[in-house]
Amino acid sequence: MKIAVDAMGGDFGSLPLVLGSLQAFKERNFSLVLVGDEQVISPLIPAKLSSKVEIKHCKDFITMEDGATSVLRRKESSIYVAIEMLKNKEVQAVVSAGHSGATMSLATLIIGRLEGITRPAICTLMPRVDGNKSLVLDAGANVDCKPENLFEFGIMGYEYAKAILKYPDVRVGLLTNGEEECKGNELTKSAFSLLKKHPNFIGNVEGDNIFDGSVEVIVCDGFVGNAVLKASEGVANSIVFLLKKYIKASPVGIFGSLFMKNTFKKLKKQVDYAEYGGAPLLGVNGNVIICHGKSNAKAMKNAIFQAIASIESDVNHKIQSAIKQYKN
């Protein structure tokens, strides 16, 4: 299998993206294509690997300040070239830590949507108290949604959780301001009636259910999903900051922390986005993984592992079959 990595678009430049890609390359069997400026990328690749890693040269790349629509005119940009490779079947997946809006726009317009899908969705993994992960979608691709979009998100999330996370039982919930069927706005009330067609739909869920292990797939529009994602990241960072502050505040705290090192490591692993790598863009006719702009090498490595899992599980075929089943 062949995977293209946009090696130019991250917040911290190419170094962590290339290092993470090379770490994945050493651990798993796949062909790696690094897309970007060869003068920047080539010096980052050890001599012993230079003959094994392909570089697809292009000088242009999309920055976080660029508008998502401008990418359509910049056909020599790294993400445009990577998506074109996916469209032409030169690679089986694309991984990018660059401009997420540009990646989503290009994937939708160039490779297109799966048959029966009206809107693609970003599917993000969230930590749960039982050590597993829940899926929230959409996490930012669509700020304005129709009820049928949320219905499709539920089907796509269910198939992804079954195929990639290997959950034997996947419960699908609709994120609202209360568990009762009467709660929510006009969008969620209409979506509720559509989602009832799915046998694994358990009804409305609230924000705390994302983390308590009571549901595996949480459906919402991209406006709400992105707010949930950013708020969760902020809470996790604040907890870590406060723990460090209070521990360092006294000799007793510092001494006690020595006995808690293993516990702190487990906590960090559970809440660190780098452990999840990236968020798949579900609903497009190809495997696209969108990473955090601040991705380090570990995050990039795990994002590539997600891409490999998507290819091996043929999750898009499963989504398409399910959409046909529930829409007919």
Side-chain angles (χ1 to χ4, degrees), residues 5-24:
V5 173
D6 174 8
M8 301 298 294
D11 290 357
F12 304 126
S14 296
L15 180 60
L17 310 182
V18 173
L19 289 180
S21 300
L22 294 177
Q23 287 172 14

Side-chain angles (χ1 to χ4, degrees), residues 150-160 198 319 322-323 326:
L150 299 190
F151 173 57
E152 293 166 10
F153 297 167
I155 294 173
M156 292 193 292
Y158 174 85
E159 295 301 326
Y160 188 89
H198 200 288
I319 288 172
I323 286 290
Y326 290 109

